[in-house]
Amino acid sequence: MGIEVVVEGLTKSFGRQNVWQDVSLTLPAGEISVMLGPSGTGKTVFLKSIIGLLKPEKGRVLVNGVDMVNSPEKDIMETRKLFGLMFQDGALFGSMSLFDNIAFPLREHTRKKESEIRRIVMERIDVVGLLGAEGKLPGEISGGMRKRAGLARALVLDPQIILCDEPDSGLDPVRTAYLSQLLIDLNAQIDATMLIVTHNLDIAATVPDNMGMLFCRNLVTFGPREVLLTSDTPVVSQFLAGRREGPIGMSEEKDAATLAAERTTGNGFGALTGPRTVVPQLEPSPGLPVRQAALRRRERVMSMMGRLPEAARTAILDSHAPTVGGGHP
Ligand SMILES: Nc1ncnc2c1ncn2[C@@H]1O[C@H](COP(=O)(O)OP(=O)(O)OP(=O)(O)O)[C@@H](O)[C@H]1O
Ligand SMILES: [Mg+2]
């Protein structure tokens, strides 16, 4: 089962520019979490801080008892082996075949024999649906295939924690739907803790157990998916509805005058927030095991019911009600 990641009071700046401050959250072991947020709010910086590639000036990130911010570099390096990271841009080596790209972490970080490497790489290539393309160069395949190759590479070291930075960027809606299912299936098979950064509202609505959002240098909220999906916090509901009206502007934050004008012209976000329905979370494909994380989450969420808003409680209880026919649609 995956490993819990505890983030406490994390603050990161570049020079005088503060990216975010006092971010605290826990990624529950084996569960899937999604981080939303407008461009430039520091989502990629957050992922890089979790694996210790960037150093926040305050706070801690605890993984298996190691603080990825302040521990000695050798402990951080060792703990980093528990992670699989899928970069925003795929980050494949252009002159290497997909096979060699995916084999790279194994050749770099292990002393496995070539025959063993071949077995692992082909298995991961199969999982992400790229069998037959292993000899191709990154420049010879589509963007969607490159994404999946990046995911396969993130998986070769059997990670306990998987971080995906915008796995859907550049994908068409159908490929995105396949990717969503792939992420759920992967979680059912390996029970790894997963954090996915995305702008995609379909992924956000159907994949994660938990969701958070970064905005204006703060973590607006983080918790069970139903809390965000039913939230009437203006910035959250604007983002989830993909509307122009609301506190998020082109340069991230609108000024007070623009917001006031929107309210008086009746374009106010308040007027547009109707009741939102929470679509069901995806189930693993037929034949795959039940997601252990989903069972654990059920217990966990029930124990925090008293602290959740009414709308979220209703959505959670609805999701526990037996569905007609049951099982996978
Ligand atoms: N190495 C760096 N040095 C200086 N500033 C940086 C560095 N990396 C990121 N930043 C700044 O930190 C802020 C957050 O960047 P980040 O890439 O995390 O945004 P993001 O939320 O991932 O955006 P997007 O959704 O467009 O990928 C930006 O203002 C960016 O310019
Ligand atoms: Mg980014």
Side-chain angles (χ1 to χ4, degrees), residues 76-191:
I76 293 176
M77 294 279 273
E78 196 54 36
T79 309
R80 200 175 287 154
K81 291 182 189 158
L82 300 170
F83 285 85
L85 176 60
M86 180 186 181
F87 287 94
Q88 188 162 1
D89 52 12
L92 300 172
F93 301 108
S95 59
M96 277 186 200
S97 69
L98 290 193
F99 184 96
D100 289 334
N101 262 291
I102 296 164
F104 188 82
L106 289 166
R107 290 175 177 154
E108 196 78 345
H109 295 296
T110 72
R111 288 153 184 270
K112 291 187 195 304
K113 292 208 238 23
E114 242 348 86
S115 58
E116 172 72 354
I117 289 179
R118 173 149 206 96
R119 188 188 62 74
I120 298 172
V121 171
M122 292 314 286
E123 214 175 271
R124 300 301 182 276
I125 284 183
D126 189 15
V127 167
V128 301
L130 284 175
L131 274 183
E134 59 272 14
K136 295 215 154 87
L137 294 174
E140 299 170 335
I141 57 173
S142 75
M145 291 166 85
R146 279 197 290 276
K147 288 279 171 189
R148 281 180 283 147
L151 184 57
R153 188 175 59 183
L155 295 177
V156 284
L157 293 175
D158 285 329
Q160 309 266 348
I161 307 161
I162 300 175
L163 309 178
C164 297
D165 199 352
E166 296 193 32
D168 53 285
S169 65
L171 297 191
D172 66 56
V174 175
R175 293 279 153 31
T176 303
Y178 277 114
L179 179 83
S180 296
Q181 187 66 53
L182 178 59
L183 292 168
I184 288 281
D185 289 354
L186 204 60
N187 183 258
Q189 287 164 294
I190 65 180
D191 203 17

Side-chain angles (χ1 to χ4, degrees), residues 75 111 117 195 219:
D75 296 345
R111 288 153 184 270
I117 289 179
L195 177 59
L219 181 69

